[in-house]
Amino acid sequence: MKHAILLLSLFLPAAGADPPPLAIRNARVVTVSGPILKKATVVVKDGLIAAVGENVDVPEDAWVIEGQGLTVYPGLIDALSNWGIPEAAAPAAAPAGGRTSTTPRPAPSATPDPSAPPPARGPEDRPSNTSWQRAADLVKPTDRRLEAARSAGFTTAVSFPMTGIFAGQGAVINLAGEKAQQMVVASPVGQYLAFPAGFGFGGGGGFPGSLMGVFAYIRQMNIDADYYRQTRLEYEKRPAGARRPEYDRASEGWLESPRILLPATRAMEIDRVLRLAAELKKPAVVYGAHEGYKAADLLKKAGAPVLVSLNWPERSRDADPDQPESLRVLELRDKAPSTPAALAKAGVKFAFYTDKIERPRDALRAVRRAIDAGLSVDDAVRALTLAAAEIYGVAGQIGSIEAGKIANLLVTSGDLFQEKTQVKFVLIDGVKFEPAPETPPAEEVAR
Amino acid sequence: MRTLAWVLACALPLAAADNSLLIRGATVHTVSGADIAGGSVLVVDGKIAEVGVKVAAPKGVRIVDAKGLHVYPGLIDSGTQMGLAEVGSVRETSDVSEIGDFNPQLRAIIAINPASEHIPVARANGITSVVSTPAGGVLSGQAALVHLDGWTWEEMEIRRSAAMVLHFPFIETGGGRRSSESRRNVPFPEAKRIYDKKLADLRGFFESARRYRQAKLAALAGFRTDVKFEAMIPVLEGKLPVAIVAERERTIREALQFAEKEKIRMILAEPREAGKLASEIKARNVPVILGPTLAAPLNEDDPYDAAYTLPAELDRAGVKFALGTFANAFSRNLPYNAAQAVAYGLPHEAGLKAITLNAAEIWGVGDQYGSIDKGKWADLMVTDGDPLEVRTQVKQVFIHGREIGLDNKHLRLYQQHTKRP
Amino acid sequence: MKTPLILSLALAMAAFAAPPVVIQNARVLTVTKGAFQGSVLIRDGKIVEAGEKVMVPPGATIIDAAGQYLMPGIIDAHTHIASESTNESSISVSSMARIEDAINPEDISIYRALAGGVTTAHVLHGSANSIGGTTAVFKMRWSKDAAGLVFEGARPGLKFALGENPKRSGSGASPSRTTPRYPATRMGIEDVIRQAFVEAKQYQQAWRDYQAKVKGGVQATPPRSDLKLEPIVEVLEGKRMTHVHAYRADEILMMLRLAEELGFKIHSFEHGLEGYKVAKEIVAHGAGVTTFSDWWAYKMEAIDAIPYNAALMMRKGVLVSLNSDDLNANLSTRLNTEAAKTMKYGGLNETEALALITINPARQLEIDKRVGSIEPGKDADLVIYDKHPLSSFARVQKVFIDGEMYFDRDRDVSGRAERELRKKALTDRQKEREKEQKKSFPTRRPS
């Protein structure tokens, strides 16, 4: 660890000073945005891609890397992540402002525990809502997971706060930087929504306690935010003589979300969230999507992009070996990796995300399963790079090897999805990082 | 035949007693043998004295004209908490589950409330006796076979100890099914450890009981009475069967092995996945008490009729079984559980046996109950049709030859409120 | 909202293309028009003709039902199948919760209900709240998506609940609840419902005032849309039906009087186990009751439940139906014999008994123009039984919805072996994957 940091500091730009240009010569270049260049040169300058092509001049002061036998890819993007947010657990959901209801609060018949927050009485209490929270403000370059991610070829992540129903605003971040500010590529890029409620049979918590409640809450939040925006506008036009609308950070957060991310694993859940998104009239991205192989047409019709989890469903190691498993579950496990191919075939835009896979390298192994299930290698690379950038509207900056884009590059010893292929180094904002030796996670060691 | 009846009739001048009668003109469904059209059943002193086409009436005997009607043995519900539980959601009305894992000394019989409203309700549909079972812990206690008639539980008693009830331990990982979704999911290795410990405890308990018995037999010095082990002696000596509750295939298999190893007389109770092990159950001659046929399947992929076809599956394998409702409020629907099995492939006579003769035999009173045969107790019902058909009305019920009124709370409320202007 | 329309259109078109169907030689139990030996002609999903002699159009699919019985599809007026949420139990008025949000079209219970002859079901959430949420009517079109299940044009409902369930959360009986929830008594339940309606009326008035101002050309700010109050306003405006979970006579009477006071109609009491005690009052209000055949004693408020309830209420003029109240399909697979119990207890005749599960629930849900009996012009929702459906030994053979066969016992039985094979293959593949997983993720030693 110490070594890595020391090494890093060698290459990290001092404030204001840019590193010298860098050129990778005679490498195979997978541009993603264009054709694969069999023997080309990529020139990086000022943290950007200065030039790419078969006949490109290498600046004289450039640090030249001989790329013979190497392949250059755009840096990989984890399209839904919390990398960079070390304490991925967001602050506890507390009732926030923005109460507009006149519901009389029924008097409790017993003395409640004074230390417990009062259970939410409805959407107006904004439970499990930190929609205003920005990943960009939470990112820290000290997150220990960044190095492992870089070592596996990832240069970028779209990171989100992930606690609660309205978890907060995501940011596209580069996975290295001296200061947090340097990491952020774009923010906010979307609101992360989750449906954490249980079955809702007599539970003790506040609102919402069921899937129905969560949906009702999201719907009301959307209405409230819109109402909030309108009343604010009206007030700003004519403040004199009017009552000041209460400030509502939950509405603020919702309003500034350019898109919403909705969870859905099964086809019927995809159908369900697409209907909700249509109702909300918000651009939506579906995440999870393991049964997307059944819902490709549906997604195509809705025009919703998809983030496919690479954490393919498998039987838990702790499962009872004799537990009868349903055909539905067995089929889902068998076919989930065919989702990317099905989406590609239907013309649905999709990107991959690592979804709690412990070792980032294993994410690439998971992609291989999708390739085995019919996904083309080109589409696989795209889903790890440009597609994610397009989904979040940052394709002008990252995701492919084009002159003018941010110099986020991955250089490997060969085809990305071959088991024996090694990550040689990555460039992030033009800064070179070499992979750390792979160490198994503690749990693996113990077994 | 006729002569014998005549002789009997002359020999027994007890005709005026309220437990003697002659039912005649009915179709008699003996269960043990062929149906007798236009048949009669003579009951003397509560016992069946004669069954046949022509049975002469002893002088002064009460005659029940059952022309166009049917006589069946009273029905036996092999699984209830009759008298032990009254209102499902009210804990104070339940005496089913005691605290602790090993309570073989507990006896259901002494906790049966003869005034339970469930008793007359079940009786009105021809249920004349039930097995009332405790359900707590592992060794739950002793189930009782009782009549649904009597001023006291003593008067209700048929067998105060019909079986020892053992809820066989199983590996509980939780999760999976809707009802338990909120429960914590236990990883398999941990659940297995808990199960292994429970099973070891169970084996240990049997082993200790066995040693206790030997010490008692040998009159060893310092021998001290232990109430729990004392209750185990009839089990160890094979005098008392053990009703082992096991639902899933793995549990059933382990329960069968356990019974063999411990050399106990086993009755398999409430199995849901017994079909897969039917031949094994048959090979060991283990009788089965099936839970309600009128039930949803256990697993998502099970055929929709899985619970309906289980009795037929066991029947084809030659397994002897009886049915229980395991819900007091639905004890009256016992015949419809048999009917559903018949609809899905069980021969009609096998369905009827599962709620009469088979039950009596499994509970050790096959020589006294369960069919209409000379010498057996006259637990009878008179109906206007097949009792397996929902539409059939039960006209009269007799227990030990005495007619039991069909009045019950439901009928009373019905009559009362029909009259509301 | 657009999807169901498109889907129903597509369905209608598919049906249009399908050849007519004639079910021949059956004992036809129409429920409303007597019984006869004859045939039913189906075209475009509708019953065109039913009679002793029906002309067979050229190209018609013929189904010979000799020796069998044909009856209208069963309508289950109260069930919880196909739903992934039971209760939004956090608050006493959760009318913003919508059952449509939690519909799972892949719930195996739909198929099982179908196997029991159920073609239409009213799906409700649980009864934890004084005012619970919205309900909806579905057809058991197994294999269709959530929108494809919707009973087109059926009026939506709002569910209320009285008695033990809604007051349980206030009683301290629920150990997981930190703060007891008002109400804890039947008195409190009336209070909660009244207050909600008072609030809804104020809300309704606020909107009326706003609309009047806008009409009059006066600048005005609209009220905030409140998804909790809107369904209640719809009840007041007669746009939404009301279904009231109630057991005891006192609470039934309370609700009748409260509804009369507040100015809305109660369409049905759900369960209404003591309905027989206040049949006169229920009839005077014009409410229906959907109840059980013979459930009793499972809780205190079911202590006076009697199996004569349905028959007694029917004789006194109440519109009565029987329902399953299923969570997993259990009773829904055999509502026919549940109906037969009313012949045993209370002496209904065959037609009356069948009406309890066909035309009566259709009338209660106001869908009787479409379903509930075998009449020309109605949807071809039909069930073929091998024996009289009121016999304990009857088995459903085939079920049609909109003229399409959705269940066929022969097909079900013959498909079982193949299903097992498929499952075996998938299980083997899973084992294979698990083996490979172990190979490619070998246990590593710490370096």
Side-chain angles (χ1 to χ4, degrees):
Chain A
M1 205 52 194
K2 228 176 215 170
H3 275 294
I5 290 167
L6 272 175
L7 210 73
L8 277 183
S9 55
L10 272 177
F11 300 112
L12 275 173
D18 285 317
L22 182 150
I24 305 164
R25 206 165 53 181
N26 298 328
R28 181 170 168 263
V29 179
V30 180
T31 63
V32 180
S33 51
I36 293 172
L37 308 173
K38 283 189 181 140
K39 199 168 182 183
T41 300
V42 184
V43 180
V44 172
K45 191 168 186 285
D46 297 340
L48 300 175
I49 297 167
V52 57
E54 276 155 7
N55 301 303
V56 169
D57 292 334
V58 176
E60 288 195 3
D61 60 341
W63 176 19
V64 177
I65 295 170
E66 185 50 57
Q68 185 69 43
L70 300 181
T71 305
V72 185
Y73 293 95
L76 305 184
I77 302 172
D78 185 5
L80 174 53
S81 181
N82 55 24
W83 286 345
I85 307 176
E87 52 291 292
R99 276 178 200 163
T100 46
S101 169
T102 52
T103 321
R105 179 164 216 170
S109 63
T111 330
D113 174 9
S115 66
R121 301 161 305 161
E124 59 277 9
D125 285 345
R126 306 284 186 254
S128 300
N129 192 326
T130 50
S131 68
W132 65 88
Q133 199 168 55
R134 293 165 172 226
D137 296 336
L138 302 171
V139 162
K140 288 198 178 108
T142 50
D143 186 347
R144 293 179 59 241
R145 295 171 300 173
L146 298 187
E147 189 184 12
R150 288 192 302 257
S151 301
F154 287 90
T155 61
T156 309
V158 190
S159 284
F160 291 82
M162 289 185 170
T163 308
I165 297 166
F166 299 86
Q169 310 277 359
V172 177
I173 59 163
N174 275 348
L175 299 178
E178 206 169 7
K179 288 182 284 189
Q181 300 91 295
Q182 296 169 334
M183 294 168 69
V184 177
V185 177
S187 169
V189 296
Q191 179 75 223
Y192 182 82
L193 290 170
F195 307 156
F199 196 52
F201 207 109
F207 179 89
S210 68
L211 184 65
M212 295 184 298
V214 170
F215 268 57
Y217 180 19
I218 294 171
R219 234 178 238 124
Q220 186 71 58
M221 187 67 237
N222 194 46
I223 290 171
D224 286 356
D226 197 43
Y227 186 72
Y228 176 79
R229 186 176 52 80
Q230 281 177 22
T231 48
R232 277 278 299 270
L233 278 174
E234 271 169 48
Y235 177 75
E236 278 159 22
K237 265 189 271 171
R238 274 177 296 278
R243 255 191 97 169
R244 179 179 83 254
E246 267 179 46
Y247 174 74
D248 179 15
R249 55 181 176 173
S251 288
E252 296 276 350
W254 182 255
L255 289 171
E256 72 176 20
S257 310
R259 58 185 65 80
I260 54 174
L261 276 69
L262 293 165
T265 298
R266 292 174 55 190
M268 65 98 173
E269 290 170 335
I270 293 171
D271 177 38
R272 188 186 277 161
V273 300
L274 288 178
R275 277 181 287 136
L276 178 70
E279 216 185 303
L280 299 175
K281 300 192 176 68
K282 275 256 185 195
V285 179
V286 174
Y287 70 86
H290 281 157
E291 214 178 39
Y293 59 90
K294 270 191 189 170
D297 293 343
L298 200 66
L299 286 158
K300 177 66 189 169
K301 218 180 288 169
V306 179
L307 307 177
V308 179
S309 159
L310 285 170
N311 201 351
W312 305 123
E314 283 302 346
R315 181 159 64 167
S316 156
R317 283 166 198 237
D318 285 340
D320 183 339
D322 290 341
Q323 181 72 33
E325 294 192 288
S326 68
L327 196 53
R328 188 172 53 73
V329 167
L330 291 168
E331 225 153 43
L332 176 63
R333 287 186 196 142
D334 191 59
K335 293 197 178 139
S338 72
T339 290
L343 295 180
K345 196 171 160 221
V348 176
K349 186 161 292 294
F350 69 96
F352 286 128
Y353 71 106
T354 59
D355 194 12
K356 288 167 257 156
I357 291 182
E358 201 155 344
R359 291 175 301 187
R361 263 200 76 87
D362 292 344
L364 294 181
R365 296 192 176 104
V367 175
R368 209 159 59 214
R369 274 191 66 194
I371 292 168
D372 291 344
L375 182 69
S376 74
V377 170
D378 287 356
D379 285 340
V381 173
R382 180 174 285 265
L384 284 164
T385 55
L386 190 57
E390 286 167 348
I391 288 170
Y392 290 104
V394 290
Q397 295 162 272
I398 54 169
S400 60
I401 306 181
E402 288 175 85
K405 283 199 175 183
I406 293 171
N408 285 352
L409 297 174
L410 160 63
V411 180
T412 65
S413 64
D415 184 274
L416 189 55
F417 305 112
Q418 293 298 319
E419 182 64 32
K420 57 177 197 296
T421 297
Q422 288 171 340
V423 171
K424 290 295 186 188
F425 60 90
V426 295
L427 296 185
I428 297 176
D429 281 317
V431 180
K432 188 174 170 220
F433 296 90
E434 277 173 25
E438 201 173 336
T439 48
E443 185 221 35
E444 281 261 328
V445 176
R447 243 182 318 113
Chain B
M1 200 64 144
R2 195 193 296 172
T3 337
L4 184 70
W6 178 242
V7 171
L8 260 170
C10 293
L12 299 165
L14 304 156
D18 73 344
N19 59 354
S20 298
L21 73 152
L22 177 70
I23 303 169
R24 69 180 183 196
T27 305
V28 179
H29 302 264
T30 63
V31 174
S32 55
D35 296 351
I36 304 164
S40 298
V41 181
L42 176 66
V43 177
V44 175
D45 280 348
K47 286 202 169 177
I48 297 161
E50 189 59 64
V51 186
V53 176
K54 293 228 167 123
V55 179
K59 206 174 161 198
V61 78
R62 180 188 168 200
I63 292 178
V64 175
D65 185 12
K67 200 153 185 229
L69 300 177
H70 301 260
V71 184
Y72 287 89
L75 307 180
I76 302 169
D77 188 342
S78 287
T80 70
Q81 293 96 35
M82 200 65 81
L84 298 178
E86 198 67 17
V87 181
S89 71
V90 183
R91 155 90 195 79
E92 289 78 357
T93 68
S94 173
D95 290 289
V96 175
S97 297
E98 191 45 87
I99 295 164
D101 278 344
F102 299 100
N103 283 317
Q105 76 283 11
L106 301 181
R107 297 181 301 152
I109 185 84
I110 55 88
I112 289 174
N113 173 14
S116 168
E117 296 283 6
H118 289 279
I119 291 173
V121 166
R123 211 163 55 191
N125 204 30
I127 320 295
T128 53
S129 43
V130 303
V131 175
S132 202
T133 60
V138 178
L139 270 169
S140 315
Q142 300 160 40
L145 175 64
V146 293
H147 269 135
L148 293 187
D149 182 42
W151 293 92
T152 65
W153 54 258
E154 258 174 343
E155 288 182 15
M156 294 170 74
E157 172 183 338
I158 298 173
R159 292 202 65 170
R160 66 171 54 197
S161 189
M164 182 67 70
V165 179
L166 166 57
H167 283 83
F168 206 78
F170 57 96
I171 303 171
E172 283 179 274
T173 47
R177 282 160 76 189
R178 251 187 180 184
S179 55
S180 53
E181 236 162 61
S182 57
R183 278 206 331 237
R184 188 175 74 103
N185 276 3
V186 182
F188 178 75
E190 189 190 334
K192 175 84 164 59
R193 264 197 304 280
I194 296 168
Y195 162 79
D196 286 342
K197 162 118 191 10
K198 274 195 171 177
L199 195 59
D201 288 350
L202 178 64
R203 291 222 170 88
F205 189 85
F206 268 76
E207 184 52 36
S208 304
R210 202 162 271 126
R211 284 196 196 145
Y212 173 86
R213 179 175 164 270
Q214 277 155 4
K216 188 183 180 186
L217 286 177
L220 289 182
F223 172 81
R224 292 233 302 261
T225 300
D226 183 301
V227 171
K228 285 182 198 266
F229 294 146
E230 203 62 42
M232 289 296 290
I233 291 176
V235 169
L236 300 174
E237 291 179 347
K239 288 174 186 153
L240 185 64
V242 183
I244 307 186
V245 179
E247 190 178 62
R248 293 209 178 251
E249 187 182 349
R250 181 171 64 198
T251 319
I252 297 167
R253 186 175 287 122
E254 278 156 12
L256 288 170
Q257 285 163 2
F258 175 84
E260 192 165 272
K261 210 167 161 203
E262 297 293 341
K263 298 186 181 64
I264 53 177
R265 265 173 62 205
M266 172 177 176
I267 297 169
L268 175 60
E270 294 181 78
R272 299 290 308 269
E273 293 181 333
K276 296 169 183 165
L277 295 167
S279 56
E280 209 168 317
I281 295 166
K282 169 64 188 164
R284 291 165 199 243
N285 258 327
V286 170
V288 177
I289 304 301
L290 286 172
T293 306
L294 297 170
L298 203 52
N299 307 306
E300 182 174 334
D301 287 344
D302 286 348
Y304 76 96
D305 57 4
Y308 311 159
T309 55
L310 178 57
E313 250 178 289
L314 293 188
D315 186 62
R316 278 196 297 273
V319 173
K320 179 180 248 178
F321 63 90
L323 295 178
T325 57
F326 293 90
N328 294 344
F330 295 127
S331 183
R332 64 177 160 201
N333 291 341
L334 176 70
Y336 316 137
N337 282 285
Q340 192 76 351
V342 171
Y344 286 81
L346 183 70
H348 189 279
E349 59 270 28
L352 196 56
K353 269 190 181 168
I355 52 175
T356 54
L357 189 56
N358 280 6
E361 286 174 355
I362 291 170
W363 298 114
V365 292
D367 55 338
Q368 300 174 68
Y369 296 97
S371 61
I372 303 180
D373 283 304
K374 192 176 159 183
K376 285 197 174 181
W377 286 103
D379 287 5
L380 303 170
M381 65 170 164
V382 180
T383 70
D384 63 0
D386 180 355
L388 269 51
E389 278 286 11
V390 170
R391 296 155 70 166
T392 297
Q393 301 284 4
V394 173
K395 299 287 192 185
Q396 284 173 301
V397 171
F398 301 89
I399 291 177
H400 279 191
R402 217 175 30 249
E403 183 166 6
I404 306 299
L406 300 183
D407 181 44
N408 62 71
K409 182 182 179 176
H410 296 175
L411 193 60
R412 277 195 303 280
L413 280 167
Y414 171 54
Q415 287 163 345
Q416 186 190 339
H417 286 274
T418 307
K419 288 186 210 123
R420 187 186 168 205
Chain C
M1 260 310 149
K2 259 179 200 157
T3 335
L5 199 83
I6 290 166
L7 220 120
S8 57
L9 259 169
L11 269 174
M13 274 163 66
F16 204 82
V21 177
V22 182
I23 301 171
Q24 281 183 333
N25 303 322
R27 180 76 190 157
V28 182
L29 311 172
T30 68
V31 180
T32 48
K33 309 271 177 196
F36 55 84
Q37 192 71 30
S39 308
V40 170
L41 169 63
I42 302 163
R43 185 179 280 141
D44 304 341
K46 298 277 182 190
I47 298 166
V48 177
E49 214 183 324
E52 285 170 22
K53 288 218 167 68
V54 168
M55 276 276 286
V56 178
T61 307
I62 291 173
I63 292 165
D64 185 21
Q68 301 191 314
Y69 290 77
L70 184 69
M71 69 172 268
I74 292 173
I75 298 168
D76 188 349
H78 184 118
T79 187
H80 305 292
I81 63 165
S83 149
E84 293 198 319
S85 274
T86 301
N87 283 301
E88 176 51 53
S89 56
S90 57
I91 45 181
S92 287
V93 179
S94 59
S95 32
M96 70 288 267
R98 299 179 186 171
I99 199 71
E100 298 95 308
D101 289 335
I103 290 300
N104 173 9
E106 295 175 0
D107 182 357
I108 189 66
S109 291
I110 296 174
Y111 180 75
R112 289 175 181 161
L114 194 59
V118 175
T119 52
T120 294
H122 181 213
V123 180
L124 309 91
H125 54 79
S127 46
N129 332 71
S130 304
I131 304 182
T134 70
T135 70
V137 184
F138 297 92
K139 283 205 183 187
M140 301 291 98
R141 298 182 189 113
W142 177 248
S143 76
K144 297 282 190 285
D145 63 10
L149 298 183
V150 171
F151 192 114
E152 316 78 12
R155 232 181 350 144
L158 181 63
K159 187 181 179 185
F160 298 72
L162 315 177
E164 289 178 18
N165 293 5
K167 75 182 187 132
R168 187 174 297 144
S169 300
S171 66
S174 174
S176 59
R177 192 168 267 283
T178 44
T179 320
R181 189 193 75 185
Y182 187 89
T185 65
R186 285 182 167 82
M187 299 182 291
I189 290 167
E190 192 214 27
D191 175 45
V192 165
I193 297 172
R194 182 182 281 108
Q195 293 217 31
F197 271 85
V198 167
E199 199 186 342
K201 283 183 174 185
Q202 287 164 354
Y203 175 76
Q204 185 186 33
Q205 193 55 50
W207 272 101
R208 281 181 182 158
D209 291 349
Y210 165 72
Q211 274 145 5
K213 274 187 193 164
V214 170
K215 228 181 195 176
V218 180
Q219 184 76 28
T221 310
R224 161 185 175 266
S225 293
D226 190 327
L227 297 178
K228 180 182 81 177
L229 298 176
E230 257 159 32
I232 304 176
V233 171
E234 285 166 13
V235 164
L236 286 166
E237 291 173 351
K239 292 175 189 156
R240 191 173 278 281
M241 303 184 80
T242 53
H243 308 284
V244 184
H245 164 108
Y247 274 72
R248 264 175 26 188
D250 49 83
E251 65 200 23
I252 291 173
L253 189 59
M254 174 280 283
M255 194 64 196
L256 290 172
R257 297 300 172 250
L258 184 63
E260 285 155 10
E261 173 198 320
L262 295 167
F264 68 91
K265 192 192 162 181
I266 295 181
H267 293 89
S268 68
F269 284 102
E270 311 294 298
H271 316 325
L273 297 187
E274 284 188 15
Y276 68 95
K277 294 183 179 178
V278 282
K280 195 164 71 174
E281 287 79 2
I282 295 170
V283 171
H285 181 92
V289 177
T290 181
T291 189
F292 305 130
S293 60
D294 60 354
W295 296 16
W296 71 293
Y298 48 98
K299 50 168 140 169
M300 271 321 283
E301 60 189 6
I303 200 78
D304 270 5
I306 60 172
Y308 305 90
N309 188 33
L312 214 169
M313 286 193 295
M314 205 168 179
R315 290 276 177 263
K316 295 206 173 201
V318 180
L319 181 60
V320 186
S321 68
L322 292 179
N323 65 70
S324 73
D325 199 22
D326 272 342
L327 206 58
N328 301 310
N330 178 11
L331 224 51
S332 17
T333 59
R334 49 193 169 85
L335 279 168
N336 57 319
T337 46
E338 290 299 288
K341 286 175 183 168
T342 61
M343 302 177 72
K344 183 185 180 79
Y345 301 107
L348 295 189
N349 65 34
E350 283 182 357
T351 305
E352 287 170 325
L354 287 178
L356 289 171
I357 52 171
T358 55
I359 192 67
N360 285 10
R363 285 180 182 139
Q364 287 176 341
L365 296 165
E366 298 184 353
I367 49 174
D368 51 309
K369 283 206 172 70
R370 288 272 306 276
V371 293
S373 64
I374 299 181
E375 290 179 69
K378 285 200 173 182
D379 294 5
D381 293 3
L382 302 163
V383 190
I384 298 177
Y385 280 92
D386 61 345
K387 297 191 176 65
H388 193 289
L390 293 167
S391 163
S392 300
F393 307 122
R395 239 170 25 190
V396 172
Q397 301 299 311
K398 289 181 172 64
V399 180
F400 301 83
I401 299 176
D402 309 318
E404 214 178 301
M405 188 156 72
Y406 277 86
F407 173 78
D408 179 8
R409 180 164 161 85
D410 292 339
R411 204 167 56 190
D412 179 289
V413 172
S414 63
R416 289 176 191 180
E418 191 227 299
R419 228 177 129 74
E420 280 309 306
L421 279 178
R422 247 170 83 204
K423 213 166 156 173
K424 168 100 180 34
L426 285 170
T427 310
D428 290 348
R429 294 240 285 269
Q430 174 164 288
K431 277 183 196 145
E432 208 47 44
R433 281 200 307 277
E434 281 170 359
K435 232 189 275 167
E436 236 165 81
Q437 199 83 346
K438 265 187 197 148
K439 243 190 283 165
S440 57
F441 299 88
T443 309
R444 280 159 231 245
R445 293 202 170 173
S447 44

